Amino acid sequence: MSQEIFLSPDFCRTVDQAVEAGKKISMITYVMGDIGEAKLKYILLRILRSLDREDLMELFYTAAKELIVNSTKAAIKRIIFEELQLNIQKLEDYEEGMKLFKSSLNERKFPTYKQKMRESGHFVKITCIYKKDKIDLEIRNNFPLLPIEAERVKEKFINAKKYDNLFEFFMEHGDSTEGAGMGITMVEILLSQSGFDRRLFSIYSSERKKETVARVEVPLHEIPKSNGITEQLFVE
């Protein structure tokens, strides 16, 4: 039986005041645990309640969690490569390191890397920007995608188009999704099932800014007409 998490009155008051003022809200995590999830849920619930759109809670909470897990894995991957003294930029080293990464890492081992993420300077930043007619959710890493990662992300965007709903997705993949980077597909399907254009989900990677940002931009009133842009991955 899961233990109920009680958030501090100071945290709740700070969030409530920010939502009342319409300010964007950000939180930084290294490895998100139960308290972090409770804080994320509180922030999203307060924002959606202020906009009278609590019906979107499952979409935003699930999307945020999936993208946070993806971002955390990307950070831990870089730490593991450093520990193995492998050059993540070299194809041979990358392939060797990924075999060890995939076989050894699952979400149950995330907490062991929390301090290492702090020490290495890697983090995941979650930001919610909201107005009466739109909510933007951003999940940010403080490093860019590697070229091989960008290719894999592009493949996942293409693959996601094969599924119309989560039932189809899980029927095909069963329990083999852990550690397989399925977050992109999940977020696309959730958007589609909620009646939104899949292209409202995009990923930006910038070598210049040293960051990667996964962004879900949801309009609250009118569904925007397609602007003809089909790309969802933008790399600079």
Side-chain angles (χ1 to χ4, degrees):
M1 188 173 178
S2 61
Q3 187 175 357
E4 188 175 356
I5 304 293
F6 292 97
L7 300 174
S8 74
D10 284 346
F11 171 82
C12 296
R13 191 181 310 111
T14 299
V15 172
D16 292 347
Q17 289 172 349
V19 171
E20 190 175 341
K23 294 180 179 179
K24 74 175 181 180
I25 300 177
S26 295
M27 62 181 284
I28 287 177
T29 183
Y30 295 92
V31 173
M32 182 169 279
D34 292 341
I35 294 175
E37 288 189 14
K39 287 182 175 180
L40 173 65
K41 189 176 288 186
Y42 187 88
I43 290 168
L44 290 173
L45 187 59
R46 286 295 179 268
I47 290 172
L48 292 170
R49 188 170 290 167
S50 75
L51 299 168
D52 197 26
R53 290 306 305 264
E54 289 180 69
D55 58 300
L56 295 177
M57 183 64 184
E58 183 180 358
L59 167 63
F60 275 103
Y61 182 63
T62 306
K65 281 190 64 177
E66 289 294 327
L67 295 173
I68 289 166
V69 168
N70 272 13
S71 295
T72 303
K73 285 180 180 176
I76 293 174
K77 180 202 298 185
R78 283 154 174 79
I79 294 170
I80 289 175
F81 270 74
E82 289 173 11
E83 291 177 339
L84 295 172
Q85 296 185 324
L86 292 172
N87 184 349
I88 201 168
Q89 301 282 353
K90 285 178 61 177
L91 183 59
E92 311 83 57
D93 282 9
Y94 185 83
E95 291 176 348
E96 181 184 346
M98 284 304 293
K99 288 176 186 176
L100 295 167
F101 174 71
K102 289 178 179 177
S103 64
S104 66
L105 184 69
N106 58 49
E107 289 180 41
R108 289 184 294 276
K109 293 184 180 179
F110 276 19
T112 62
Y113 283 92
K114 188 168 189 173
Q115 185 59 34
K116 292 179 180 180
M117 279 185 68
R118 287 180 182 273
E119 291 169 357
S120 66
H122 294 314
F123 60 80
V124 179
K125 184 176 183 181
I126 304 105
T127 301
C128 296
I129 306 165
Y130 50 98
K131 299 177 182 177
K132 288 183 178 180
D133 60 346
K134 187 183 180 190
I135 303 176
D136 291 353
L137 170 70
E138 295 181 349
I139 311 296
R140 186 181 311 265
N141 279 124
N142 57 339
F143 49 80
L145 291 172
L146 300 166
I148 193 168
E149 289 175 322
E151 284 302 314
R152 301 260 166 95
V153 167
K154 191 179 292 186
E155 288 171 10
K156 298 218 177 279
F157 274 128
I158 293 170
N159 185 60
K161 305 295 183 290
K162 297 192 301 185
Y163 304 99
D164 292 321
N165 56 65
L166 290 174
F167 178 76
E168 283 183 9
F169 174 68
F170 285 116
M171 281 295 289
E172 183 166 326
H173 292 278
D175 295 327
S176 65
T177 57
E178 184 176 17
M182 294 297 179
I184 288 174
T185 306
M186 291 275 289
V187 174
E188 273 222 14
I189 295 171
L190 283 166
L191 274 169
S192 181
Q193 283 193 170
S194 301
F196 297 107
D197 192 322
R198 296 166 182 259
R199 288 167 294 183
L200 296 173
F201 171 40
S202 55
I203 294 178
Y204 298 78
S205 175
S206 172
E207 180 69 40
R208 178 175 57 85
K209 294 181 180 179
K210 302 297 181 189
E211 67 177 15
T212 301
V213 184
R215 185 173 292 137
V216 179
E217 305 173 83
V218 173
L220 298 180
H221 301 306
E222 293 183 13
I223 303 295
K225 295 179 180 178
S226 173
N227 57 13
I229 297 174
T230 58
E231 289 296 321
Q232 289 171 270
L233 173 65
F234 303 88
V235 178
E236 63 170 32

